Amino acid sequence: MMSIRLRFTLLYTFILALTLTIFGFALYTLQAQDMLRPLKLDLRLGASKLAEASLRTDSRLVPPEEDFPRPPSPFDEFSNEQTFQTFPEREIGRILDANGNLVSSPFGRQEDALPLSVEGLQAVQNQQDWYETATISDEEMLIYSRPVIVNNEVVYIVQAARPLTERNRTLQSLATTYIIAGLLTVLVAFGIGWILSGITMQPIHRITQTAQKIGDERDFTRRVDYTGPSDEVGQLASTFNSMLSRLQDAFQKVEHSLQMQRDFVADVSHELRTPLTTLRGNLGLLRRNPPPEEQTDILGDMVDESDRLIRLVNDLLLLARADAGRNLAKESVDISSLLEETCRQARQLDSQRGISLDAAPSLKVMGDRDAIKQVLLIALDNALKHSSGDVNVIAQKNGAQVEIRVQDFGEGIPPEKLDHVFERFYRGDEDSVIPGFGLGLSIAKSLVDGMQGAIDIKSETGKGSIMVIHLHIAIE
């Protein structure tokens, strides 16, 4: 298959060759016309002198005695005019009668007659000049014929001719020189075009090599090294680098997602292993028929572990639905009344703790009511678990969003752990005694993201934490 580089070079060479051909043809034509013009002028001058001299001779007044044309006579017998005696040797002169018969030539020979076509004879008889070319003795000649008119009647036809050998030789030399020079120019241009196209295609070649290496090595950090102008090739290199950046981001996200999936499966397996192992151990104990009081303890333990498994599975299902982004309605939700309802339910979790609510009236957001309530319950449960004091809930309008702040006054979260609080199954060392699986905040974030909102935690060690939730205001 022909490469783009070769196609570019051939196209460039073809255009140059076509241009040189057109230019050479035009130059050859102009040169031929320019060289023919002085020849015609000389022939006209010579023929005019013979015509004027023939008018001054008396031979034209002598009618032929025979019915057929007389043999031609030499110039010195035809006329005593000096013009006939000194006619230039480089030109050929002939005198014809009105019918085109040879009347006189320098040597008076019949074979000295010059050709005159039928069209030429008719033109001259119509008192018009006539040029034509003919080959005489293997030599191309330009023949000029003109009438000699007396009393509006053609009495003689004067012919003047000159060989075109010198002109043709010059034109042939010009054509040969131009063809050789043109071929050399085309060959040189082909070589230069091949080099230039190679330089032009080098960035594209580098792009191809980079793409090949990326495919082989799966290394999306590679970039095309282009330092040329911002032309089409530069734009291609820039676009390719930009595409690589997007591919690198997408690949990193996919890798991160796969890693999170692997970690998720590992964490789920770990979380499920403990209650399942406990259940399996208790079942083994029951098979040994322990005393009734021990059976009661074993059954109680099995109920607790079963409840733990149910909670874990429910959390996982809720997290999976949130990740899929399904079943989340987009409707107007009265967040003020929902906060009152949620805080009232949360107070039942710990009647000894105070939960204060400061919410502007009639605040409405766009989202799923059940999902928002789930997020608020997670936020309040998280605040109650990690603090021993009261919890403050504040809701207010912030631009085109409603900002909900859930503040506790516990020990706070160390800065090095703050970036991991939304990761699944992440629990700090101090949270090992606190019940839960480390899925609550992950569920809350997935639900808020599914409603195109935002959630964040601000914390200061020793002073407590604030969970900030942003939801879009409902447009009435």
Side-chain angles (χ1 to χ4, degrees):
M1 185 175 61
M2 188 181 298
S3 65
I4 296 179
R5 179 182 183 185
L6 181 57
R7 289 203 295 267
F8 278 164
T9 305
L10 290 177
L11 178 62
Y12 163 78
T13 305
F14 172 76
I15 294 174
L16 177 62
L18 182 62
T19 303
L20 290 176
T21 300
I22 296 174
F23 176 77
F25 180 78
L27 178 63
Y28 184 88
T29 302
L30 292 175
Q31 186 66 21
Q33 295 296 329
D34 288 342
M35 295 184 69
L36 195 61
R37 193 175 296 112
L39 290 178
K40 290 183 176 181
L41 179 60
D42 290 345
L43 291 178
R44 283 200 302 268
L45 291 176
S48 297
K49 291 179 181 179
L50 287 180
E52 292 173 359
S54 65
L55 289 175
R56 294 193 296 269
T57 183
D58 293 335
S59 59
R60 67 183 177 79
L61 302 177
V62 181
E65 296 178 358
E66 299 84 6
D67 294 334
F68 51 86
R70 293 179 299 174
S73 59
F75 276 172
D76 55 358
E77 295 180 6
F78 177 76
S79 175
N80 293 327
E81 290 290 329
Q82 186 68 22
T83 301
F84 285 94
Q85 311 305 323
T86 61
F87 193 76
E89 294 181 359
R90 68 178 181 274
E91 294 180 6
I92 301 173
R94 300 290 186 268
I95 303 296
L96 311 179
D97 61 16
N99 296 321
N101 299 312
L102 181 61
V103 173
S104 179
S105 66
F107 300 103
R109 298 174 302 189
Q110 187 66 42
E111 60 268 19
D112 291 339
L114 295 175
L116 180 60
S117 63
V118 177
E119 295 84 356
L121 179 59
Q122 291 177 353
V124 175
Q125 289 174 346
N126 291 329
Q127 302 182 9
Q128 298 176 357
D129 295 350
W130 181 259
Y131 287 98
E132 62 183 328
T133 58
T135 302
I136 303 174
S137 300
D138 298 329
E139 187 174 22
E140 187 179 15
M141 303 190 71
L142 177 64
I143 303 173
Y144 171 66
S145 303
R146 60 154 294 178
V148 178
I149 303 172
V150 177
N151 297 327
N152 202 28
E153 182 182 353
V154 177
V155 295
Y156 288 124
I157 297 175
V158 177
Q159 287 185 310
R162 179 177 289 189
L164 295 176
T165 305
E166 183 178 352
R167 169 183 173 271
N168 292 342
R169 188 182 297 115
T170 302
L171 290 176
Q172 185 177 4
S173 177
L174 173 64
T176 302
T177 302
Y178 189 83
I179 290 174
I180 295 175
L183 290 175
L184 291 176
T185 301
V186 169
L187 289 176
V188 172
F190 181 87
I192 295 176
W194 179 260
I195 296 174
L196 292 179
S197 61
I199 296 174
T200 303
M201 297 296 294
Q202 188 174 3
I204 299 179
H205 183 63
R206 288 201 297 267
I207 291 175
T208 304
Q209 290 181 330
T210 302
Q212 184 67 37
K213 290 180 180 178
I214 290 173
D216 295 339
E217 303 174 6
R218 297 183 180 273
D219 183 9
F220 292 98
T221 61
R222 288 181 176 272
R223 295 294 182 269
V224 177
D225 184 16
Y226 180 78
T227 57
S230 182
D231 52 10
E232 288 81 358
V233 177
Q235 293 175 5
L236 175 62
S238 177
T239 303
F240 189 77
N241 286 336
S242 178
M243 180 191 68
L244 287 177
S245 297
R246 292 193 293 272
L247 285 176
Q248 182 181 2
D249 293 340
F251 185 76
Q252 290 176 348
K253 290 179 181 179
V254 170
E255 285 290 324
H256 181 66
S257 299
L258 291 176
Q259 185 61 40
M260 287 183 63
Q261 186 179 25
R262 288 190 291 266
D263 295 342
F264 179 75
V265 172
D267 291 338
V268 169
S269 301
H270 174 74
E271 293 293 334
L272 291 175
R273 185 183 298 114
T274 301
L276 289 175
T277 301
T278 303
L279 287 173
R280 181 66 181 83
N282 287 332
L283 288 173
L285 292 175
L286 287 176
R287 292 180 64 181
R288 299 175 184 175
N289 294 319
E293 63 275 7
E294 188 175 347
Q295 290 185 12
T296 302
D297 294 336
I298 292 173
L299 290 175
D301 193 15
M302 291 179 66
V303 170
D304 293 340
E305 293 300 325
S306 297
D307 291 339
R308 183 181 177 190
L309 276 175
I310 292 173
R311 290 195 302 272
L312 177 58
V313 170
N314 287 336
D315 286 345
L316 291 175
L317 289 175
L318 181 60
L319 184 60
R321 286 196 295 268
D323 286 343
R326 296 192 298 267
N327 302 325
L328 292 181
K330 292 183 179 180
E331 58 186 7
S332 177
V333 178
D334 188 345
I335 195 67
S336 300
S337 61
L338 184 60
L339 280 170
E340 292 178 1
E341 176 184 335
T342 306
C343 290
R344 183 175 63 255
Q345 294 177 357
R347 291 188 186 100
Q348 298 176 3
L349 300 176
D350 189 349
S351 58
Q352 304 299 321
R353 307 275 294 280
I355 300 177
S356 64
L357 173 62
D358 181 10
S362 302
L363 286 178
K364 294 184 179 182
V365 298
M366 288 296 297
D368 186 294
R369 189 179 190 279
D370 292 339
I372 297 174
K373 184 175 181 179
Q374 182 71 32
V375 172
L376 295 176
L377 286 174
I378 291 173
L380 289 171
D381 181 64
N382 190 71
L384 292 173
K385 285 180 180 179
H386 295 84
S387 67
S388 57
D390 295 340
V391 176
N392 296 335
V393 180
I394 302 173
Q396 59 187 4
K397 184 178 179 181
N398 185 3
Q401 295 179 330
V402 170
E403 181 182 88
I404 304 171
R405 303 169 70 91
V406 179
Q407 182 179 13
D408 66 65
F409 301 93
E411 294 297 325
I413 304 172
E416 65 274 9
K417 298 181 180 181
L418 193 60
D419 295 335
H420 303 283
V421 293
F422 290 106
E423 295 179 4
R424 297 168 184 180
F425 297 104
Y426 177 80
R427 304 181 70 192
D429 297 336
E430 66 278 4
D431 295 338
S432 58
V433 296
I434 299 176
F437 306 104
L439 290 175
L441 293 180
S442 298
I443 294 173
K445 181 171 177 56
S446 297
L447 291 174
V448 172
D449 290 343
M451 292 182 288
Q452 287 77 47
I455 185 171
D456 190 19
I457 291 182
K458 301 177 181 179
S459 183
E460 187 175 351
T461 305
K463 294 185 178 181
S465 303
I466 303 176
M467 182 179 294
V468 183
I469 304 168
H470 290 92
L471 297 173
H472 294 284
I473 292 179
I475 301 176
E476 300 293 341

